C-alpha cells in the first residue's frame, strides 16, 4: 500500500506539472490572446475540470502520506473521479475522431503537428485515464455512479444551447455561437440538434454503464484473489 501511494504521488506530481503547462499554453496567456471562449469546447472544458480534480487528488495523496494515514480512499471523491474519467474518455474518443474542425481529425497529418491541440485532445486524457485505471481503487464504486456521471454532460449541453439561443437573438454578436457545427441550431434546426445531443448522451450513458460493470467485474476478481491469498496464508500457518 505504501509503495502504491508513493507511485501515486510521483505520477500525479508529474501530471500536474505537465497538465498545468499545457493548460496555460492553450489558454493564450503567454501570447496575449487569453480568452474564456475555449471553455465552450468540450475537450478543453473536460481537461480544465479534470485538472482541478487531479490537483486535489495529488494533494490528498501527499498529505495522506505525510500524515502517515494507513487507510486511504486514494481519491478525494471517487464519484467525481468516476465522472471525470468518463468525461475525459468521451472527449478523447469523439473529439479525436469526429469533432475536430480547425486542425482536422486525428487521422490527418496536420493534427499531429499542432502540439497545443494535441496535448488536451490526446496526451492529457491518456495520462488521466492511466491514473484512473491503474492507480485508483475501484472497490467502492456504487450503482448510482453512472447516473450521477450524467450531470456534467447534461449541464454542458444545456449551457451551450441556452448560450447559443441568446446569442442568435443578438444581431451585434459576431463571435462563435455554437462550438460545433453538428449542434448548430441555425444550420440544422432545433429538432435535429436535440436528437443529436440525445444520441451523444445515450452513448455517454452507455459508456458509464460499461465502466460500472467493468469495475464490478474487476472488484469480483480482486475479492476472489484476496480470499485465495488469505486461504493460502492460513494453510501455511497451520
Amino acid at each position: 500500500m505504501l509503495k502504491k501511494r508513493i507511485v501515486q504521488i510521483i505520477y500525479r506530481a508529474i501530471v500536474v506539472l505537465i497538465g498545468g503547462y499545457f493548460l496555460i499554453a492553450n489558454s493564450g496567456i503567454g501570447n496575449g490572446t487569453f480568452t474564456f471562449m475555449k471553455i465552450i469546447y468540450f475537450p478543453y472544458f473536460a481537461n480544465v475540470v479534470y485538472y482541478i480534480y487531479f490537483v486535489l487528488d495529488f494533494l490528498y495523496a501527499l498529505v495522506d502520506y505525510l500524515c502517515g494515514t494507513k487507510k486511504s480512499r486514494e481519491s478525494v471523491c471517487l464519484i467525481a473521479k468516476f465522472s471525470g474519467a468518463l468525461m475525459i474518455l468521451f472527449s478523447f474518443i469523439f473529439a479525436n475522431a469526429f469533432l475536430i474542425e480547425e486542425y482536422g481529425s486525428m487521422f490527418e497529418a496536420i493534427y499531429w503537428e499542432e502540439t497545443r491541440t494535441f496535448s488536451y485532445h490526446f496526451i492529457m486524457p491518456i495520462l488521466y485515464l492511466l491514473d484512473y485505471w491503474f492507480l485508483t481503487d475501484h472497490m467502492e464504486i456504487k450503482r448510482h455512479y453512472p447516473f450521477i456521471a450524467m450531470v456534467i454532460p447534461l449541464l454542458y449541453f444545456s449551457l451551450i444551447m441556452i448560450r447559443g439561443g441568446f446569442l442568435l437573438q443578438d444581431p451585434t454578436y459576431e463571435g462563435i455561437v455554437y462550438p460545433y457545427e453538428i449542434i448548430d441550431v441555425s444550420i440544422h434546426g432545433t429538432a435535429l440538434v436535440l436528437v443529436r445531443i440525445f444520441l451523444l448522451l445515450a452513448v455517454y450513458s452507455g459508456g458509464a454503464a460499461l465502466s460500472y460493470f467493468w469495475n464490478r467485474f474487476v472488484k469480483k476478481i480482486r475479492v476472489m484473489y484476496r480470499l485465495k491469498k488469505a486461504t493460502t496464508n492460513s494453510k501455511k500457518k497451520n
Side-chain angles (χ1 to χ4, degrees):
M1 182 65 184
L2 182 60
K3 290 182 179 179
K4 182 178 180 181
R5 198 170 297 170
I6 293 174
V7 172
Q8 287 176 331
I9 293 170
I10 294 174
Y11 181 84
R12 289 170 185 171
I14 294 171
V15 176
V16 165
L17 292 174
I18 295 174
Y21 168 77
F22 281 135
L23 282 179
I24 293 173
N26 281 289
S27 69
I29 292 177
N31 56 18
T33 60
F34 174 75
T35 174
F36 286 105
M37 285 296 293
K38 282 185 176 289
I39 205 70
I40 69 174
Y41 293 96
F42 193 79
Y44 193 79
F45 168 79
N47 271 263
V48 170
V49 172
Y50 204 91
Y51 181 76
I52 294 172
Y53 173 87
F54 205 86
V55 170
L56 295 175
D57 206 19
F58 159 69
L59 293 174
Y60 185 91
L62 180 60
V63 171
D64 196 49
Y65 172 74
L66 294 176
C67 293
T69 305
K70 294 182 178 180
K71 187 176 181 181
S72 171
R73 287 198 57 180
E74 302 184 19
S75 295
V76 178
C77 179
L78 193 56
I79 178 56
K81 195 159 195 175
F82 179 83
S83 303
L86 281 171
M87 186 168 61
I88 284 291
L89 182 61
F90 181 80
S91 68
F92 172 73
I93 294 174
F94 281 88
N96 283 322
F98 306 112
L99 299 181
I100 302 212
E101 298 174 1
E102 185 177 356
Y103 300 105
S105 73
M106 66 182 297
F107 305 107
E108 299 176 23
I110 190 174
Y111 171 79
W112 300 89
E113 298 170 1
E114 178 51 56
T115 306
R116 291 183 304 167
T117 301
F118 178 59
S119 68
Y120 67 87
H121 282 115
F122 196 88
I123 297 176
M124 294 313 299
I126 289 294
L127 293 177
Y128 291 142
L129 290 171
L130 287 176
D131 177 86
Y132 175 74
W133 285 327
F134 298 109
L135 295 178
T136 301
D137 191 354
H138 299 172
M139 297 290 283
E140 300 300 324
I141 288 178
K142 310 296 183 183
R143 291 182 181 179
H144 61 275
Y145 281 19
F147 298 100
I148 297 178
M150 292 298 297
V151 171
I152 297 178
L154 278 170
L155 180 63
Y156 171 79
F157 282 116
S158 297
L159 293 176
I160 288 299
M161 297 307 293
I162 293 172
R163 172 184 176 276
F166 278 110
L167 292 179
L168 284 177
Q169 304 302 317
D170 184 359
T172 63
Y173 183 75
E174 299 180 351
I176 298 172
V177 178
Y178 295 98
Y180 304 107
E181 185 269 337
I182 64 170
I183 58 172
D184 192 328
V185 172
S186 63
I187 298 176
H188 305 289
T190 303
L192 181 56
V193 167
L194 290 177
V195 169
R196 288 176 172 177
I197 290 176
F198 174 80
L199 291 175
L200 287 171
L201 290 174
V203 172
Y204 189 93
S205 64
L210 286 174
S211 182
Y212 166 74
F213 285 115
W214 169 253
N215 286 317
R216 191 175 179 182
F217 171 75
V218 171
K219 179 178 180 179
K220 287 183 178 180
I221 296 298
R222 289 181 178 178
V223 170
M224 290 173 61
Y225 171 76
R226 290 175 182 177
L227 287 174
K228 184 178 179 180
K229 187 176 180 179
T231 303
T232 302
N233 292 335
S234 178
K235 287 181 180 180
K236 288 181 178 180
K237 290 180 179 179
N238 296 330

